[in-house]
Amino acid sequence: MNAADVARYLKEHPDFLAEHGDLFTQLTVPHPHGGQAISLAERQLHALRDKIRLLEGKLSELIRFGEENDEIGEKVHRLTLALLEAEDYESLRHALFENLRDDFAVPSVVLRIWNSVLTGDGEDFAPVSEAVRFFAGDMRHPHCGAPLNLEVLEWFGDASAHVRSVALIPLRRDAQTFGLLALGSQESERFYPEMGTLYVSRIGDIVAAALSRQLG
């Protein structure tokens, strides 16, 4: 009889160990973390403790993720309220930039608007190349990663030399892209391709909706 036969026998006779409970204290196996041999019962306790520690670790991770999501959700809520309270474009712009910089700790924020009845003389309405407009129009999700588009990078002005990662968020109205919200950071890992974009997308939707009220 080999090990496979023993394992098969125990599976086919689940009452065996219940009927021979003394084996748990008589049989010894190597300690899972080294050292002297321990009883089978003690080895089972170690295995259960390891599983409990693993489950506790996963639970702590879930709680941490939940708390982080709650915190982000609260920030998005505050941003939404601030944009809703804005009475004109300038107050809307101020609320947007202030919340992104102070609440979300985004050091560099840029907004570009085109294809709109809303016009102005500020940098938000500066000319945007056809290539960038097509790029934004083709985006299905926010683009996060290194600042590869030199034109967009130049939008950050003096800070452009220090921007190492960006989040580019298309702004749409009735399925038509009319602008781009660009977030920049000096940290290369702040915005990265594999990051989740759920909240970033929601911010884009909220900003686009708020701007649409100003567009008429």
Side-chain angles (χ1 to χ4, degrees):
M1 179 178 291
N2 55 32
D5 294 330
V6 174
R8 183 168 54 253
Y9 177 84
L10 292 176
K11 289 181 179 179
E12 294 174 352
H13 301 80
D15 296 333
F16 176 82
L17 292 177
E19 297 171 354
H20 300 79
D22 56 320
L23 288 176
F24 277 98
T25 57
Q26 295 176 3
L27 295 177
T28 59
V29 294
H31 193 285
H33 305 298
Q36 63 183 12
I38 57 176
S39 69
L40 190 60
E42 189 175 356
R43 177 64 180 84
Q44 190 175 28
L45 287 176
H46 278 286
L48 289 174
R49 291 192 188 106
D50 289 341
K51 289 182 179 179
I52 291 173
R53 279 193 291 268
L54 180 62
L55 291 174
E56 288 176 342
K58 290 183 177 179
L59 179 59
S60 297
E61 187 176 20
L62 289 174
I63 292 175
R64 178 171 59 84
F65 286 154
E67 291 174 343
E68 290 177 355
N69 286 335
D70 287 343
E71 183 178 354
I72 296 173
E74 180 62 27
K75 291 178 181 179
V76 172
H77 178 65
R78 288 197 293 267
L79 172 61
T80 303
L81 293 179
L83 296 181
L84 286 174
E85 293 172 355
E87 297 181 353
D88 52 33
Y89 178 77
E90 287 304 320
S91 60
L92 186 154
R93 184 184 191 277
H94 176 76
L96 172 63
F97 280 52
E98 183 179 63
N99 273 268
L100 290 176
R101 288 171 177 164
D102 296 342
D103 221 358
F104 289 89
V106 178
S108 299
V109 182
V110 178
L111 180 64
R112 287 292 185 274
I113 299 173
W114 60 83
N115 294 341
S116 168
V117 296
L118 177 65
T119 58
D121 299 325
E123 61 181 10
D124 298 352
F125 304 95
V128 176
S129 71
E130 187 176 51
V132 170
R133 293 199 301 269
F134 280 141
F135 169 72
D138 290 338
M139 292 171 63
R140 294 293 172 265
H141 306 283
H143 170 80
C144 299
L148 302 179
N149 190 296
L150 295 181
E151 179 181 347
V152 174
L153 183 61
E154 291 176 352
W155 294 353
F156 293 104
D158 295 339
S160 61
H162 307 289
V163 172
R164 296 291 178 267
S165 64
V166 296
L168 307 181
I169 311 168
L171 305 176
R172 295 188 172 93
R173 180 189 188 193
D174 298 329
Q176 180 183 16
T177 303
F178 67 86
L180 192 66
L181 177 63
L183 314 180
S185 174
Q186 298 177 4
E187 302 174 12
S188 59
E189 296 301 322
R190 176 65 187 276
F191 305 111
Y192 54 95
E194 296 80 15
M195 69 179 290
T197 58
L198 174 63
Y199 285 109
V200 179
S201 296
R202 288 181 177 176
I203 289 175
D205 293 340
I206 294 167
V207 172
L211 286 171
S212 293
R213 295 173 58 203
Q214 303 294 330
L215 302 180

